[in-house]
């Protein structure tokens, strides 16, 4: 890890200590020891960490070994001030970077161990003075090292920043995809609940919603009415004018029902030429008036077919309930009323008496 930076840092330390050995005219045998400690050891440490199954653990051990080596040289050279400082602070910073506060304790432990062994081997001496040239090298070395640490931190922060920006971008794209999927699901769900010709709700949606509306009106103490509508003589329209004309008639009726209904009403294409309108909170009299409005407006709105206008009428059956009732049962009452409207001449509205009594138990 950071092989190049570490190698150059050790070269700077080597030059600093070599200058001290040369200027203080110490034993020439120290030069090979310096080369082993600061030129060869970093490369061996790199290979050791690279070949290890846990490179991070090995690298931390290497840094502790660095501390021991630095302690040996501090004691062996007699604690020269600037050399002691740069060796102690650099190894502490290195372990602090990798281990945090515990790294400081590891660095101090390694330094103390190295100092003890160095002192036992070379004798404990205190020679703090160093040549000004070595001082310059030491200050330069630690300054370059700190700048290098700052640059490495900056580089890693840049990598981290770009990684976070990429993560934010990915999260935004993911959220956008999730939102698009949600909208698509809603669209598909809405399409599944809609009649493709008229855009009205279909029988499937009616089956899912009618029981819910009945229960809600019952909790609120409100009535619920149904208007079941059937086009009069619709087969003749298809036979005489074609199925395209029949589709135009159905679409015209769907538009009229949608225009004349409230937002809370449920307008469905019940099947073929039959339509059903659910009127929550609407009593029988108001439902009859609404059905009559449907009939009157549709009768007065001719459907343009080719170069002519086609007038079509409708019949409607109305049922109303003030009690809990099965949806199929309420629809059956509306269908009975519609049948009476058909049998009594068509183009009219017939209603059943409102259902107010409790259902009979079998």
């Amino acid at each position: 890890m950071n092989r190049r930076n570490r190698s150059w840092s050790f070269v700077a330390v080597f030059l600093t200590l070599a200058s001290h050995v040369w200027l203080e005219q110490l034993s020439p045998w120290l030069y090979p020891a310096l080369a082993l400690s600061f030129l060869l050891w970093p490369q061996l440490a790199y290979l050791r960490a690279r070949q290890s199954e846990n490179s991070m653990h090995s690298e931390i051990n290497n840094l502790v070994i660095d501390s021991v080596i630095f302690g040996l040289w501090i004691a062996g050279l007699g604690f020269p001030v600037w050399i002691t400082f740069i060796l102690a602070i650099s190894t502490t910073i290195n372990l602090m970077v990798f281990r945090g506060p515990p790294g400081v304790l590891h660095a101090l432990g390694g330094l103390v161990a190295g100092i003890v062994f160095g002192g036992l081997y070379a004798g404990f001496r205190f020679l703090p003075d160093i040549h000004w040239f070595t001082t310059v090298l030491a200050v330069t070395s630690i300054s370059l090292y700190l700048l290098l640490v700052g640059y490495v931190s900056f580089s890693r922060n840049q990598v981290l920043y770009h990684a976070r920006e990429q993560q934010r971008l990915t999260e935004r794209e993911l959220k956008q995809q999730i939102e698009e999927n949600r909208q698509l699901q809603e669209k598909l769900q809405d399409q599944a609940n809609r009649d493709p010709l008229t855009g009205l709700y279909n029988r499937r949606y009616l089956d899912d919603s009618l029981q819910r509306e009945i229960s809600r009106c019952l909790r609120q103490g409100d009535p619920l009415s149904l208007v079941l509508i059937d086009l009069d003589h619709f087969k003749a329209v298809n036979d005489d004018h074609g199925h395209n004309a029949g589709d135009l008639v159905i679409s015209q009726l769907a538009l009229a029902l949608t225009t004349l209904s409230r937002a809370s009403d449920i307008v469905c294409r019940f099947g073929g030429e039959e339509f059903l309108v659910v009127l929550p909170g609407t009593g029988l009299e108001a439902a009859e008036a609404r059905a009559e409005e449907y009939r009157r407006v549709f009768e007065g709105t001719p459907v343009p077919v080719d170069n002519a206008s086609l007038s079509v009428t409708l019949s409607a059956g109305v049922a109303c309930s003030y009690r809990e009732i099965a949806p199929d049962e309420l629809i059956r009452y509306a269908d009975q009323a519609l049948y009476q409207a058909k049998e009594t001449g068509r183009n009219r509205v017939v209603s059943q008496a409102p259902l107010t009594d409790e259902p009979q138990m079998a």
Side-chain angles (χ1 to χ4, degrees), residues 327-339:
D328 289 343
E329 184 180 359
L330 187 58
I331 293 174
R332 180 169 61 83
Y333 282 114
D335 188 55
Q336 290 175 355
L338 174 61
Y339 179 79

Side-chain angles (χ1 to χ4, degrees), residues 17 21 28 43 45 53 64 66 73 82-83 100 107 127 130 135 175-176 195 222 242 244 290 299 306 308 320 345 362:
L17 271 65
V21 172
Q43 311 310 317
E53 293 182 359
V64 174
D66 288 348
W73 281 103
W82 277 105
I83 289 176
L127 303 171
I130 60 176
T135 300
K175 288 179 181 179
Q176 182 178 356
D195 172 60
D222 295 331
N244 288 337
R290 178 75 65 79
E299 181 184 24
D306 297 330
C320 177

Side-chain angles (χ1 to χ4, degrees), residues 11 55 59 86 152 163 180 198 240 250 292 309 324 329 338 341:
V11 168
S55 60
E59 179 65 7
I86 66 171
V152 171
E180 291 175 353
T198 63
D240 297 341
I250 288 176
E292 182 61 32
S309 294
E324 184 74 20
E329 184 180 359
L338 174 61

Side-chain angles (χ1 to χ4, degrees), residues 84-96:
T84 300
F85 173 74
I86 66 171
L87 293 178
I89 197 64
S90 61
T91 191
T92 303
I93 291 175
N94 285 337
L95 279 162
M96 181 77 169

Side-chain angles (χ1 to χ4, degrees), residues 2 9 25-26 41 44 54 69 71-72 116 124 161 193 273-274 334 354:
N2 299 320
S9 299
Q25 298 181 352
L26 301 178
W41 159 244
L44 296 176
N54 188 337
I69 293 173
L72 288 171
V116 170
F124 286 97
Y161 169 77
N193 291 329
E273 67 272 19
E274 285 190 326

Side-chain angles (χ1 to χ4, degrees), residues 21 26-36 73 121:
V21 172
L26 301 178
S27 172
W29 289 104
L30 293 176
Y31 294 111
L34 284 174
L36 177 64
W73 281 103
Y121 177 77

Side-chain angles (χ1 to χ4, degrees), residues 175-185:
K175 288 179 181 179
Q176 182 178 356
Q177 291 177 357
I178 292 174
E179 178 62 21
E180 291 175 353
N181 289 339
R182 184 189 65 79
Q183 293 176 359
L184 179 60
Q185 289 176 353

